[in-house]
Amino acid sequence: MILRAALPASLRENAHRLSERFYLDAPGWYRHPEDVPYLPVVASAVWDRQVIQATYRRWKEPTEVTRRLEPHGLVLKAGIWYVVARCDGVMRTYRVDQIVTATACDCGFAVEPGFELVSHWHTYLADFHRQLYTGRAVIRLSGEGVRRMRHLLSAAAVTAVETVGVADADGWVRARVPIESADLALADFLRLGAEIEILEPAELREQAARTIKAMAAIYD
C-alpha cells in the first residue's frame, strides 16, 4: 500500500490490479514489520530519478548523518526495504527504516552508467557475506543434522555443507563452514543438539564442551 501510493497515477490502476491477484507477505514468521515512514518519499525519488536529502541513523559514531542521495533502486529483502543510492559519487546501500528524515530536492540526476539493480544487489550481497564471515569452523553433521540444518544454520554454512561436505564411513558429513564469530557460531551449532560435532577450531570445541557440561549440570 505504501509503495503503491508513491507511484504515478498512470501506474496505480495496474498496481491495484496486481494486488488483487498477488500478495507478498515478506516478513518472516513471528516478526513484526518495521515502520518505514519515508518509503513513499524514497520510492517516488527512485521513480522520478530525483535527489533527496536524508538524515540516516547508523551503528557507529556519529550515529546520525546527513547525506545527499541519488536513489537508483529499491530492494525488499526478508521484509526489510533497502535503497541503493549514489552518495558522493559512490554507490551505497541504506536501510530505508533507518532514514530519520527525507526531503525531495528540486533536482534530478543521471543514472550511473551501466547500472543494473539486480546484478548490483547480488554483487553487494556477495561482498557483504565475504566481509561478514571471516572465520572458519570444521563440523560433522548426522543425517538428521543435515536435514535440519536449513532451518537452524546460516545460509553460508548450509551452502558450504552442501557443496564441500564429505560423508564419513558412518554416514556423518564433515565440512569446513564460514562463521561470523565464535559466540554466534556456537549458538547456531548448539541448536542442532547431538546431531552435530564441532571439530575445529579447538577453542570453539572447548567452549561447546563447557557449555554442554553446564547445561547437563542444570538437569542432573
Side-chain angles (χ1 to χ4, degrees), residues 148-214:
R148 293 171 54 196
M149 67 177 180
R150 283 185 170 274
H151 306 290
L152 301 174
L153 299 185
S154 70
V158 170
T159 299
V161 172
E162 292 179 339
T163 55
V164 300
V166 178
D168 295 339
D170 57 2
W172 284 52
V173 175
R174 177 185 177 124
R176 181 178 297 274
V177 301
I179 60 173
E180 183 177 350
S181 70
D183 289 341
L184 291 176
L186 180 61
D188 278 352
F189 293 159
L190 290 181
R191 296 167 72 188
L192 281 165
E195 308 303 329
I196 187 172
E197 180 185 3
I198 302 169
L199 302 176
E200 298 176 16
E203 295 82 2
L204 182 58
R205 181 181 175 90
E206 292 165 4
Q207 186 179 353
R210 289 194 299 269
T211 301
I212 293 168
K213 287 179 182 177

Side-chain angles (χ1 to χ4, degrees):
M1 293 295 293
I2 297 175
L3 189 56
R4 186 192 310 160
L7 293 173
S10 59
L11 295 180
R12 287 178 193 160
E13 182 181 349
N14 286 336
H16 175 70
R17 190 175 303 163
L18 284 171
S19 69
E20 289 179 337
R21 295 164 173 78
F22 301 95
Y23 176 62
L24 176 62
D25 188 9
W29 288 102
Y30 313 115
R31 180 182 176 191
H32 297 292
E34 302 293 339
D35 184 26
V36 195
Y38 290 99
L39 180 59
V41 175
V42 174
S44 181
V46 168
W47 184 261
D48 294 329
R49 302 295 190 206
Q50 191 174 35
V51 177
I52 59 174
Q53 191 81 4
T55 301
Y56 187 75
R57 184 185 298 114
R58 59 183 187 175
W59 63 271
K60 63 181 180 180
E61 295 289 343
T63 55
E64 288 192 3
V65 293
T66 299
R67 295 288 185 263
R68 184 180 184 275
L69 303 180
E70 299 173 349
H72 282 54
L74 273 170
V75 176
L76 180 63
K77 173 70 172 179
I80 298 175
W81 286 99
Y82 297 87
V83 58
V84 178
R86 187 168 53 203
C87 179
D88 296 330
V90 179
M91 299 301 294
R92 303 184 186 277
T93 301
Y94 302 87
R95 280 183 58 149
V96 181
D97 62 356
Q98 297 302 306
I99 293 178
V100 180
T101 64
T103 305
C105 303
D106 191 20
C107 58
F109 64 89
V111 177
E112 184 79 9
F115 176 80
E116 201 279 318
L117 181 59
V118 174
S119 61
H120 176 89
W121 177 255
H122 288 307
T123 300
Y124 163 78
L125 285 183
D127 291 341
F128 176 80
H129 284 123
R130 274 195 295 271
Q131 296 175 36
L132 182 65
Y133 298 106
T134 56
R136 293 291 184 273
V138 178
I139 59 174
R140 291 176 70 242
L141 292 168
S142 68
E144 180 62 21
V146 171
R147 285 189 289 273
R148 293 171 54 196
M149 67 177 180
R150 283 185 170 274
H151 306 290
L152 301 174
L153 299 185
S154 70
V158 170
T159 299
V161 172
E162 292 179 339
T163 55
V164 300
V166 178
D168 295 339
D170 57 2
W172 284 52
V173 175
R174 177 185 177 124
R176 181 178 297 274
V177 301
I179 60 173
E180 183 177 350
S181 70
D183 289 341
L184 291 176
L186 180 61
D188 278 352
F189 293 159
L190 290 181
R191 296 167 72 188
L192 281 165
E195 308 303 329
I196 187 172
E197 180 185 3
I198 302 169
L199 302 176
E200 298 176 16
E203 295 82 2
L204 182 58
R205 181 181 175 90
E206 292 165 4
Q207 186 179 353
R210 289 194 299 269
T211 301
I212 293 168
K213 287 179 182 177
M215 293 173 62
I218 294 175
Y219 294 98
D220 189 3

